[in-house]
Amino acid sequence: MSQVYADRRGRLRDRCAAAGSAAALVSRPANVRYLTGASPPGAVLLLGGDGTGDDEVLLCPHAPTGDPVEGRVDEALRLTVLPPSGGDPAVAAAGLARQAGADTLAVEERHLSVARYRAIGSAAPHLRLDDLGTSVEQERLVKDDEEITCLRIAAEITDQALGELLESILVGRTERHLALELERRLVDHGADGPAFPTSVATGPHSGRGRHRPSDRRVEEGDFLSVCLGASYRGYRCEIGRTFVIGTTPADWQIELYDLVFAAQRAAREALAPGTACRDVDRAARQLLDAAGHGDGLAPSLGHGVGLEIEEDPHLSPSAMGKLDACVPVTVEPGVHLPGRGGVRIDDTLVVRQEADGGPELLTITTKELLAL
Amino acid sequence: MSQVYADRRGRLRDRCAAAGSAAALVSRPANVRYLTGASPPGAVLLLGGDGTGDDEVLLCPHAPTGDPVEGRVDEALRLTVLPPSGGDPAVAAAGLARQAGADTLAVEERHLSVARYRAIGSAAPHLRLDDLGTSVEQERLVKDDEEITCLRIAAEITDQALGELLESILVGRTERHLALELERRLVDHGADGPAFPTSVATGPHSGRGRHRPSDRRVEEGDFLSVCLGASYRGYRCEIGRTFVIGTTPADWQIELYDLVFAAQRAAREALAPGTACRDVDRAARQLLDAAGHGDGLAPSLGHGVGLEIEEDPHLSPSAMGKLDACVPVTVEPGVHLPGRGGVRIDDTLVVRQEADGGPELLTITTKELLAL
């Protein structure tokens, strides 16, 4: 793996050099992990400018633990653990860059706070600060085989946890408890932890995008929507399913389910290299809009996943750009009818060429409307 | 409760006015919650400058849910939910401030990213941006009765969850599972959720401050250290205890336990209004240092708690400032012997006048060395 990280750092150095920055400081945790294999809390990565690789330093406020949650630091990388009184590693890194003769340092302006930025400026007053922008995020868009393998395992774990829940008795249990049980099962099956807070929504809550589990209990006749995902070696996936509780779904439930299912399928089928991101969103949105549900829709019907649960690309009406092969995304339309509930169906897929079989579905739990 | 929030906002407006800022923009979630009762994801609070209260607006990217985790927005406050394409609420707030005639806007430079700060500057070019600094954090230091009640309930929940765990069989179970079970019990007893990720550390891991639960199983003869806390209405507390597994602790275990216990007690007893924060740290640190454990100690042996699990004051050798009455803090020394394990003992207490009975212990689980 070490060469993978060295190559990623090399590409970033090339970008920075082309943009006129002698050195770069990476502070966003997912970006640090992408470039070093680990994201110890508070760690920052300094890439110097002489191109030898000797001037690459990971500065940490604590010794890395090597725990799966934070990952293992690439052994080829120089590691500096600051003393307890060492202050902000970003400031220390700027001092190092200056000592090494760099005159400009590209920093992540979207991540660094104004206060840290000013502290860097004060500690290294002759260093010009540039914006690194989203250089690392752009590198992260297209995943390599190793990364997709991690996502595939994360999805397997997620499907297992969800499958086990479906075999248990659900009526009478609270949203909170079902969510906690799902998270425990994710860990049982080998996840580092949940990729994001598990959402379980019953009855009138069902179909809501970011519903936080409450003390409401599952009742006969409810829609039940769940959204969960495992993190495996830092890679995060997402699945969302909606079920009906009891023997026979009501007509409105079947109708709404079929609609959201059709919208989700349309968006899945639109996934292909070269397709505009907004067109994937439109494929689902226009069906829901035509059925009169356009107003309540989420601003985005899907997004990239990887070391973060929500990363580029965004599948939304205003999204720029096109899909590439080997980009994993979610497709997650949902409709919520206030007071009644609703349906959300969410998968994680990898964009693939038609010749390679088209989009690869990672989350394979059935999307039939199950009555539980 | 509404008046409480209005009063807090009034005090902040006074501070800003005194510092020459016509308006203030609060973006740090815990600060937003302190001033409005809630912290809907991404919400920012704009306090205008005409002093009437009509120019106070909470701008949210999504409608607040009223869920206990994010709290309920003070009903007296004007609330604006931005449309899905509404962009960054902080930028929208700066535009409002400008329209309202403000010429300066104080922002939280420690929280806002450089990119957001620049976006505000571009959207409202004639607005001078000042630094709000830690004005709200300073207001948050001393807690009122209502806040202390929430902390007391959080501590009760935490003691209950821990107490139940101690009655169960521990040998053979993994750190991860014990941690998940503790978190489930916190929620069972009414917590919004865990105040921070629960730590369970066995055998050679025990006594480590930020240990993430692993798949190691509890064995006979282990030290077992746990650190957990409930969040209740946003208020977070913390308890840490160390136990020994099996019938009889080894001599080194008793000796180390007694030492850490003595250090923790010394720091607890040092808590009083007017005491320098560093003196509380020193009370514990000097005992551990004299016993030869000075090198491996954490940089801080305690910290404030409230709407965040780690807030001011910090009890560390370099801390400035003195304690006040009604400031809740943790006292949490620990010693970890590499390869063998160690002991951590952690309580949440409220600083009180001697005449009021001295420091109020919120986390009351016994600190005897229990053999489980």
Side-chain angles (χ1 to χ4, degrees):
Chain A
M1 273 309 280
S2 191
Q3 193 54 47
V4 171
Y5 300 119
D7 289 348
R8 291 174 182 171
R9 294 194 297 270
R11 282 194 294 273
L12 181 61
R13 296 166 74 104
D14 291 346
R15 272 188 184 239
C16 287
S21 288
L25 176 65
V26 181
S27 54
R28 185 174 176 133
N31 289 347
V32 171
R33 183 159 192 173
Y34 181 75
L35 296 167
T36 71
S39 51
V44 303
L45 174 67
L46 174 67
L47 300 180
D50 68 7
T52 61
D54 289 343
D55 54 351
E56 300 182 339
V57 192
L58 184 68
L59 295 99
C60 307
H62 308 281
T65 61
D67 179 273
V69 176
E70 61 183 53
R72 245 171 230 293
V73 181
D74 173 8
E75 286 173 9
L77 193 67
R78 199 174 122 207
L79 182 73
T80 298
V81 177
L82 298 179
S85 56
D88 183 346
V91 173
L96 278 185
R98 190 73 190 102
Q99 281 168 32
D103 53 356
T104 56
L105 177 68
V107 301
E108 296 185 301
E109 293 194 353
R110 289 171 186 237
H111 180 261
L112 275 191
S113 71
V114 178
R116 294 180 81 188
Y117 187 85
R118 292 203 202 285
I120 291 172
S122 301
H126 300 294
L127 200 59
R128 202 182 76 232
L129 299 181
D130 278 350
D131 185 11
L132 187 57
T134 58
S135 299
V136 189
E137 284 85 349
Q138 286 168 48
E139 290 287 335
R140 284 168 48 200
L141 265 172
V142 173
K143 271 67 174 178
D144 66 24
D145 288 348
E146 195 86 35
E147 294 180 282
I148 291 175
T149 298
C150 289
L151 283 167
R152 210 177 276 131
I153 296 171
E156 279 173 20
I157 293 170
T158 307
D159 280 323
Q160 284 175 316
L162 180 56
E164 287 173 0
L165 186 81
L166 300 186
E167 290 168 12
S168 63
I169 302 288
L170 299 172
V171 171
R173 297 170 70 193
T174 70
E175 293 174 356
R176 258 182 233 266
H177 277 99
L178 293 176
L180 285 162
E181 183 176 326
L182 282 167
E183 295 190 353
R184 183 178 62 76
R185 290 186 187 278
L186 291 173
V187 172
D188 276 350
H189 288 292
D192 314 331
F196 56 91
T198 298
S199 178
V200 174
T202 63
H205 302 154
S206 59
R208 281 192 1 196
R210 295 156 184 253
H211 178 70
R212 283 190 208 259
S214 75
D215 289 326
R216 188 181 183 284
R217 291 177 193 276
V218 177
E219 293 176 12
E220 285 283 330
D222 275 358
F223 263 142
L224 169 70
S225 38
V226 299
C227 186
L228 70 154
S231 166
Y232 181 77
R233 298 195 181 165
Y235 284 84
R236 290 153 199 266
C237 75
E238 185 175 322
I239 190 173
R241 290 290 184 270
T242 300
F243 310 101
V244 72
I245 304 296
T247 45
T248 323
D251 288 348
W252 74 272
Q253 290 179 316
I254 296 174
E255 204 174 299
L256 189 61
Y257 192 91
D258 287 349
L259 173 69
V260 175
F261 178 82
Q264 203 250 5
R265 186 178 53 197
R268 276 190 282 120
E269 289 175 355
L271 293 175
T275 301
C277 293
R278 62 172 60 162
D279 290 344
V280 179
D281 175 272
R282 186 163 55 218
R285 193 175 295 269
Q286 66 189 6
L287 284 176
L288 300 174
D289 200 21
H293 300 297
D295 283 349
L297 296 182
S300 146
L301 300 186
H303 53 77
V305 294
L307 288 169
E308 291 175 287
I309 188 56
E310 190 169 338
E311 49 181 65
D312 288 334
H314 283 82
L315 308 180
S316 70
S318 60
M320 304 299 286
K322 296 178 175 184
L323 291 173
D324 274 313
C326 301
V327 172
V329 294
T330 67
V331 173
E332 47 174 310
V335 171
H336 175 257
L337 308 178
R340 300 177 79 187
V343 176
R344 262 176 82 83
I345 304 176
D346 182 354
D347 278 310
T348 303
L349 305 99
V350 182
V351 177
R352 301 281 192 191
Q353 295 287 354
E354 187 69 38
D356 295 330
E360 178 188 351
L361 183 68
L362 300 188
T363 45
I364 60 171
T365 297
T366 182
K367 288 186 282 284
E368 273 182 272
L369 175 54
L370 298 183
L372 303 175
Chain B
M1 271 308 280
S2 191
Q3 193 54 46
V4 171
Y5 300 119
D7 289 348
R8 291 174 183 172
R9 293 194 298 270
R11 283 195 293 274
L12 182 62
R13 296 166 74 105
D14 292 346
R15 272 190 184 236
C16 286
S21 289
L25 176 65
V26 181
S27 55
R28 186 174 176 134
N31 289 347
V32 171
R33 184 162 191 169
Y34 181 75
L35 296 167
T36 71
S39 52
V44 302
L45 173 67
L46 174 67
L47 299 180
D50 67 7
T52 62
D54 288 341
D55 54 351
E56 301 183 338
V57 192
L58 183 68
L59 295 99
C60 307
H62 308 282
T65 61
D67 181 272
V69 175
E70 59 185 51
R72 246 171 230 292
V73 180
D74 173 9
E75 287 173 9
L77 193 66
R78 197 173 123 207
L79 182 74
T80 298
V81 178
L82 298 179
S85 56
D88 183 346
V91 173
L96 278 186
R98 190 73 190 101
Q99 281 167 31
D103 53 354
T104 56
L105 178 68
V107 301
E108 296 185 301
E109 293 195 352
R110 289 170 187 237
H111 179 262
L112 274 190
S113 71
V114 178
R116 292 181 82 188
Y117 186 85
R118 291 202 202 287
I120 291 171
S122 302
H126 300 293
L127 200 59
R128 203 182 77 232
L129 299 181
D130 277 350
D131 186 10
L132 188 56
T134 57
S135 299
V136 189
E137 285 84 349
Q138 286 166 48
E139 290 287 335
R140 284 169 47 201
L141 266 172
V142 173
K143 270 68 175 178
D144 66 25
D145 288 348
E146 193 87 33
E147 295 181 281
I148 291 175
T149 298
C150 289
L151 284 167
R152 210 177 276 130
I153 296 171
E156 279 173 20
I157 293 170
T158 307
D159 280 322
Q160 283 175 316
L162 180 55
E164 288 173 1
L165 186 83
L166 300 186
E167 289 168 13
S168 64
I169 302 288
L170 299 172
V171 171
R173 297 170 71 194
T174 69
E175 293 174 356
R176 259 183 232 267
H177 277 98
L178 293 175
L180 284 163
E181 183 174 328
L182 283 166
E183 295 189 355
R184 184 178 60 76
R185 289 185 188 279
L186 291 173
V187 172
D188 276 350
H189 288 293
D192 312 332
F196 55 91
T198 298
S199 179
V200 175
T202 63
H205 302 154
S206 59
R208 279 188 5 194
R210 295 157 184 252
H211 178 70
R212 280 191 210 258
S214 75
D215 289 325
R216 189 180 183 283
R217 290 176 193 277
V218 177
E219 293 175 13
E220 284 283 331
D222 275 357
F223 263 142
L224 169 70
S225 37
V226 299
C227 186
L228 70 154
S231 166
Y232 182 77
R233 297 197 181 166
Y235 284 83
R236 291 151 198 270
C237 76
E238 185 175 322
I239 189 173
R241 290 290 184 269
T242 300
F243 310 102
V244 72
I245 304 296
T247 45
T248 324
D251 288 348
W252 73 272
Q253 290 178 317
I254 296 173
E255 203 174 299
L256 189 61
Y257 193 91
D258 287 348
L259 174 68
V260 175
F261 178 82
Q264 203 250 4
R265 186 177 52 197
R268 274 189 284 120
E269 290 175 354
L271 293 175
T275 302
C277 293
R278 63 173 56 163
D279 289 344
V280 179
D281 175 273
R282 186 164 55 220
R285 193 176 294 272
Q286 68 190 2
L287 283 176
L288 300 174
D289 199 21
H293 300 298
D295 283 348
L297 295 182
S300 147
L301 300 186
H303 53 76
V305 293
L307 287 169
E308 291 176 287
I309 187 57
E310 191 169 336
E311 49 180 63
D312 288 335
H314 283 81
L315 308 179
S316 69
S318 60
M320 304 299 286
K322 295 179 176 182
L323 291 173
D324 275 313
C326 302
V327 172
V329 294
T330 67
V331 173
E332 46 175 312
V335 171
H336 175 257
L337 308 177
R340 299 177 80 188
V343 176
R344 261 176 83 81
I345 305 176
D346 182 354
D347 279 310
T348 302
L349 306 98
V350 182
V351 177
R352 301 280 191 192
Q353 296 286 356
E354 186 70 37
D356 296 328
E360 178 188 350
L361 183 67
L362 299 187
T363 45
I364 61 171
T365 297
T366 182
K367 288 186 281 284
E368 273 183 271
L369 176 54
L370 297 183
L372 303 174

